């Protein structure tokens, strides 16, 4: 016989609570250590209790469990939820996971009726239901944070719709743009991120509960009722797929990895813009750190950490993909390894989004430094080429060649295009007139980019207003 703490009279581990009828001994210590997941899956407590409540109510409604037992189960689950929230719940590693910890405590509270809760379900469908609920909650939280970051970017874009700066390709100055236009590019990226999460959420939102171990159940359950109670759109269609599917988790991590990459790109630009060679923005003390040896340093460590943490999220996706790649149908214990990368990735994304939003709201752009930077690199060369096409009727490739020669001449003379004497230009293309200087200033260049999605201040203001309508 075994004592209530699952040990035999000699103090050795006794048969496991879940399969004691088949096993005469408890697991070895090494087996306990590799098998137990309670240290991390305790995060699923709210989802596990919610799913158990829905399952219990369905069992009672279908006459599978007596009403008085159902009431006792629900009262016990309420007590357990309160204990967990108060930090008083006795999580025990010998019960392996959150599911059995809850069930064992329920048995202590209400006795034999606790065992009826597991009728017509398995830990296989129980855990995947809990994880779907958890991922769904994580998606909703991240969507709100992405929206907040979009809001911060839009506010800065509106404030800097006319602030000119160099636009870059290959990290080389290319054409003048506005800071507002640059920031709105990230608003679009984040909008697609939210769309990917919404798409993944829609596919995730099917309820596996009632699939049991893999084959369904012979009890007359109502899977549609539990699905509705838990906010799912429908029950899942195939019991084997239900318990062995983790593509919803892979899709979440895939979408999350793209979010992390976008945040990393924004962080990299903040790092560059804060550097002395750029000086485009300044972060306050709230988002900067100092040096233990160099008293003059102001380091954009928040941005650097966002950039670095992208690797953790991408790594979580790789962990999940590799874990799942060789598994046969249906459930395999390998799937226990889905939770730690999920939890870590979601927490990392949340931290990075909070830091990114804080930095965008905190940053102070230096309009003079950005304007000064547009003086280098012949940023209006394309405007000159366009003028040759528009006014002189040249083919663009010919205009491109002529402009390149003019830039080469300006570089030899140490002049900007707007400062180059007309005679120097006419020596290369005789038909150029004084009117060309109307397009060679940075402000004229920016104002001229009025095509849809362009950097003209008027277009930036329109785009910011449209983004508010679409995303906020």
């Amino acid at each position: 016989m075994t004592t209530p703490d699952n040990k035999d009279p000699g103090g050795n581990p006794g048969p496991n609570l879940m399969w004691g009828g088949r096993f005469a001994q408890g697991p070895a210590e090494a087996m306990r250590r590799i098998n137990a997941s309670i240290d991390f899956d305790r995060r699923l407590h709210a989802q596990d209790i919610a799913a158990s409540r829905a399952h219990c109510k369905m069992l009672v409604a279908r006459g599978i469990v007596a009403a008085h037992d159902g009431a006792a189960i629900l009262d016990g689950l309420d007590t357990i939820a309160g204990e967990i929230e108060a930090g008083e719940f006795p999580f025990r590693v010998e019960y392996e996971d959150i599911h059995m910890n809850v069930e064992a405590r329920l048995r202590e509270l209400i006795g034999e009726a606790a065992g009826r809760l597991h009728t017509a379900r398995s830990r296989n469908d129980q855990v995947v239901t809990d994880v779907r609920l958890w991922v769904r909650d994580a998606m909703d939280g991240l969507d709100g944070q992405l929206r907040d970051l979009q809001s911060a970017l839009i506010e800065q874009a509106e404030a800097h719709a006319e602030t000119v700066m160099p636009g870059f390709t290959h990290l080389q100055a290319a054409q003048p743009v506005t800071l507002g236009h640059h920031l709105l590019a990230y608003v679009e990226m984040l909008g697609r991120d939210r769309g990917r999460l919404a798409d993944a959420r829609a596919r995730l939102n099917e309820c596996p509960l009632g699939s049991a171990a893999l084959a369904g159940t012979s009890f007359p359950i109502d899977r549609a009722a539990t699905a509705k109670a838990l906010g799912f759109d429908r029950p899942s269609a195939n019991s084997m797929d239900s318990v062995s599917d983790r593509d919803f988790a892979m899709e979440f991590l895939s979408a999350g990895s793209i979010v992390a990459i976008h945040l990393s790109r924004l962080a990299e630009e903040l790092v560059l813009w804060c550097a002395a060679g750029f000086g485009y923005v300044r972060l306050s003390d709230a988002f900067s750190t100092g040096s233990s040896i160099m008293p003059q340093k102001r380091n954009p460590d928040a941005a650097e950490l966002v950039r670095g943490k992208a690797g953790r999220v991408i790594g979580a996706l790789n962990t999940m993909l590799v874990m799942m790649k060789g598994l046969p149908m249906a459930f395999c214990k390998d799937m226990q390894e889905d939770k730690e990368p999920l939890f870590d990735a979601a927490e990392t994304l949340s931290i990075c989004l909070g830091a990114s939003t804080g930095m965008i709201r905190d940053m102070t752009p230096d309009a003079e430094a950005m304007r000064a930077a547009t003086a280098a690199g012949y940023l209006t060369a394309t405007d000159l080429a366009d003028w040759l096409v528009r006014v002189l009727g040249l083919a663009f490739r010919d205009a491109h060649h002529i402009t390149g020669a003019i830039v080469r001449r300006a570089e030899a003379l140490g002049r900007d295009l707007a400062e180059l004497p007309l005679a120097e230009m006419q020596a290369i293309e005789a038909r150029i007139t004084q009117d060309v200087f109307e397009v060679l200033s940075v402000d004229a260049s920016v104002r001229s980019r009025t095509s849809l999605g362009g950097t003209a201040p008027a277009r930036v203001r329109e785009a910011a207003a449209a983004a508010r309508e679409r995303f906020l």
Side-chain angles (χ1 to χ4, degrees):
M1 103 180 163
T2 58
T3 56
D5 64 356
N6 205 32
K7 294 181 179 178
D8 67 27
N12 297 315
N16 189 289
L17 176 68
M18 293 169 283
W19 48 76
R22 177 65 178 85
F23 287 70
Q25 288 182 264
E29 179 58 25
M31 178 61 181
R32 285 180 182 273
R33 290 181 64 190
I34 196 171
N35 194 45
S37 59
I38 189 59
D39 286 345
F40 51 85
D41 70 14
R42 65 177 63 185
R43 288 195 187 204
L44 298 173
H45 65 84
Q47 291 79 17
D48 193 70
I49 291 172
S52 289
R53 284 178 176 137
H55 187 66
C56 177
K57 291 176 182 179
M58 180 276 295
L59 292 175
V60 170
R62 299 294 288 175
I64 299 169
V65 168
H68 65 277
D69 284 337
I73 290 169
L74 293 174
D75 285 345
L77 291 173
D78 288 344
T79 298
I80 292 169
E83 289 176 346
I84 293 175
E85 290 300 322
E88 300 170 353
F89 185 84
F91 291 107
R92 294 166 63 178
V93 71
E94 61 264 31
Y95 294 138
E96 296 185 8
D97 57 31
I98 185 61
H99 323 297
M100 292 313 302
N101 267 268
V102 169
E103 184 173 328
R105 179 61 177 147
L106 188 63
R107 183 179 291 271
E108 291 174 356
L109 290 171
I110 69 171
E112 180 185 359
R116 302 189 185 282
L117 176 60
H118 209 54
T119 306
R121 77 176 183 183
S122 161
R123 281 196 302 171
N124 294 357
D125 62 338
Q126 189 178 1
V127 66
V128 72
T129 300
D130 292 357
V131 176
R132 280 178 181 261
L133 288 169
W134 191 92
V135 172
R136 192 177 69 184
D137 290 343
M139 286 177 169
D140 292 344
L142 292 175
D143 180 76
Q145 288 188 283
L146 285 162
R147 182 183 183 278
D148 289 344
L149 179 51
Q150 286 181 300
S151 178
L153 287 163
I154 291 169
E155 288 173 11
Q156 288 280 23
E158 289 171 332
H160 295 281
E162 297 188 25
T163 302
V164 296
M165 65 177 293
F168 294 86
T169 63
H170 309 278
L171 202 55
Q172 302 295 313
Q175 290 182 272
V177 296
T178 64
L179 176 58
H181 188 59
H182 194 130
L183 296 176
L184 288 177
Y186 285 99
V187 173
E188 295 300 317
M189 293 183 207
L190 298 173
R192 292 192 296 274
D193 289 334
R194 292 177 67 188
R196 274 183 285 271
L197 286 172
D199 290 344
R201 190 190 192 284
R203 274 183 290 277
L204 169 151
N205 210 34
E206 296 183 347
C207 184
L209 198 58
S211 297
L214 78 162
T217 178
S218 60
F219 289 96
I221 62 173
D222 184 351
R223 293 191 61 211
T226 49
K228 182 178 180 181
L230 292 170
F232 288 107
D233 294 331
R234 64 191 71 82
S236 55
N238 182 282
S239 60
M240 292 184 72
D241 174 58
S242 298
V243 298
S244 63
D245 161 46
R246 293 297 184 275
D247 60 17
F248 69 91
M250 290 185 281
E251 189 170 10
F252 168 63
L253 291 176
S254 177
S257 293
I258 298 174
V259 173
I261 288 168
H262 287 159
L263 297 181
S264 182
R265 294 184 69 186
L266 176 59
E268 169 66 5
E269 298 211 287
L270 289 175
V271 170
L272 289 173
W273 292 353
C274 287
F278 286 78
Y280 293 176
V281 303
R282 180 181 175 88
L283 294 174
S284 76
D285 292 354
F287 288 95
S288 303
T289 65
S291 165
S292 63
I293 190 172
M294 296 170 285
Q296 82 282 9
K297 292 295 295 297
R298 291 181 60 84
N299 300 321
D301 278 5
E304 292 176 14
L305 287 166
V306 169
R307 186 178 60 187
K309 287 179 182 293
R312 291 180 65 157
V313 181
I314 297 166
L317 171 61
N318 288 334
T319 296
M320 188 77 70
L321 294 173
V322 173
M323 180 197 74
M324 292 297 298
K325 72 174 183 61
L327 298 187
M329 294 284 267
F331 179 83
C332 297
K333 195 58 178 277
D334 310 51
M335 294 177 189
Q336 181 170 290
E337 296 300 307
D338 63 353
K339 296 170 194 62
E340 288 180 286
L342 273 174
F343 297 156
D344 186 74
E347 182 175 1
T348 298
L349 285 169
S350 180
I351 291 170
C352 289
L353 281 165
S356 298
T357 302
M359 286 187 289
I360 292 299
R361 294 195 187 283
D362 177 81
M363 73 177 189
T364 303
D366 187 332
E368 291 184 7
M370 285 187 279
R371 175 173 287 277
T374 64
Y378 303 99
L379 302 189
T380 59
T382 303
D383 298 274
L384 172 55
D386 288 345
W387 186 90
L388 294 171
V389 170
R390 188 169 55 250
V391 176
L392 301 186
L394 297 179
F396 184 80
R397 285 302 171 200
D398 294 333
H400 184 284
H401 180 79
I402 292 168
T403 300
I406 293 173
V407 168
R408 186 168 65 250
R409 182 58 179 162
E411 189 174 40
L413 296 175
R415 300 283 191 92
D416 185 66
L417 286 177
E419 301 169 343
L420 190 65
L422 178 60
E424 295 288 347
M425 295 189 197
Q426 289 175 333
I428 297 169
E429 169 51 65
R431 292 176 291 171
I432 295 177
T433 68
Q434 186 70 30
D435 293 343
V436 74
F437 291 100
E438 295 177 3
V439 303
L440 295 183
S441 73
V442 166
D443 290 313
S445 175
V446 166
R447 285 196 304 269
S448 72
R449 306 295 169 180
T450 56
S451 58
L452 180 64
T455 193
R459 282 298 195 184
V460 171
R461 292 189 182 94
E462 291 173 2
R468 280 191 178 278
E469 183 69 23
R470 289 160 58 204
F471 298 125
L472 305 185

